[in-house]
Amino acid sequence: MALLDILTAPHPVLSAKARAVTADEFTPALQRLLEDMAETMYAAPGVGLAAPQIGDSRRIVVADPGFEGEDGARKKGVDLVFMVNPQIVERGAERIQWEESCLSVPDLSQNVDRTKRILVRFQDAKGEAQERSYEGFGAVVIQHELDHLDGVTLLKYSSLLKRSRYLQKQKKAPGH
Ligand SMILES: [Zn+2]
């Protein structure tokens, strides 16, 4: 397993729409990528990571909402999920607001309004169809990660002022 580099905004891959994983791509290499993404997520530490964040513009997500559960208890691996080509197929009517942060948008937190209950359809590492429902923090995490697949980061939800402050700071940061 290997730790991968996490890209930070602004980066063109982070604002691009990721493409679907094709049937011939469900290989041991995909399994390895998912495992490396999970290792990178835990090391960050984070509760979700989408492939565009590591420079791979495909519809792939790893998440483990339980790693930073609503009760503050860290249960590593219990809720770990590998999602390929995920899609939200059902949404509840209730909304939830959460102060979100993102590994690709360092030092910025943003309150985002999302759906409280979702049903997600996806393929696992072997290409088998799966379904999973999420509520509360888990639903927030999954919607955040799926945003990344459409080139959307927290900056989209930020005020113009907050966004320009962030971008100014990134420009000045060493290595940028
Ligand atoms: Zn993110």
Side-chain angles (χ1 to χ4, degrees):
M1 298 221 282
L3 289 181
L4 307 164
D5 286 333
I6 298 176
L7 303 177
T8 53
H11 188 289
V13 177
L14 289 171
S15 48
K17 192 174 163 68
R19 71 160 174 86
V21 173
T22 55
D24 61 324
E25 290 178 305
F26 290 89
T27 63
L30 180 66
Q31 176 74 35
R32 254 194 324 274
L33 173 69
L34 286 159
E35 285 168 10
D36 286 347
M37 284 175 64
E39 193 189 5
T40 303
M41 170 184 79
Y42 287 128
V47 290
L49 191 68
Q53 292 182 274
I54 48 105
D56 186 330
S57 195
R58 290 184 293 170
R59 306 189 82 78
I60 300 169
V61 160
V62 302
D64 186 356
F67 187 49
E68 196 179 287
E70 270 167 285
D71 53 2
R74 285 179 176 257
K75 296 170 300 224
K76 183 177 175 177
V78 177
D79 293 329
L80 178 63
V81 66
F82 292 166
M83 291 184 175
V84 180
N85 298 329
Q87 252 187 314
I88 296 172
V89 291
E90 274 178 49
R91 292 177 181 271
E94 276 181 275
R95 311 291 299 174
I96 183 170
Q97 278 90 35
W98 205 277
E99 189 79 17
E100 299 181 23
S101 58
C102 179
L103 298 173
S104 293
V105 192
D107 304 321
L108 183 134
S109 60
Q110 178 61 44
N111 201 49
V112 184
D113 179 89
R114 299 195 189 271
T115 304
K116 193 175 177 186
R117 261 189 285 269
I118 55 170
L119 178 67
V120 190
R121 197 168 288 160
F122 57 96
Q123 288 167 281
D124 62 20
K126 293 187 166 64
E128 301 292 330
Q130 306 283 346
E131 258 182 17
R132 215 156 146 170
S133 58
Y134 289 90
E135 187 177 349
F137 181 62
V140 168
V141 170
I142 298 300
Q143 286 169 89
H144 176 118
E145 298 314 324
L146 265 61
D147 267 358
H148 278 300
L149 305 182
D150 292 323
V152 171
T153 71
L154 285 185
L155 291 175
K156 186 204 156 196
Y157 301 98
S158 302
S159 67
L160 189 58
L161 181 65
K162 207 165 161 182
R163 189 159 56 232
S164 55
R165 273 189 187 148
Y166 169 84
L167 293 171
Q168 274 305 110
K169 218 167 106 192
Q170 287 302 111
K171 239 189 263 172
K172 283 182 199 152
H176 286 268

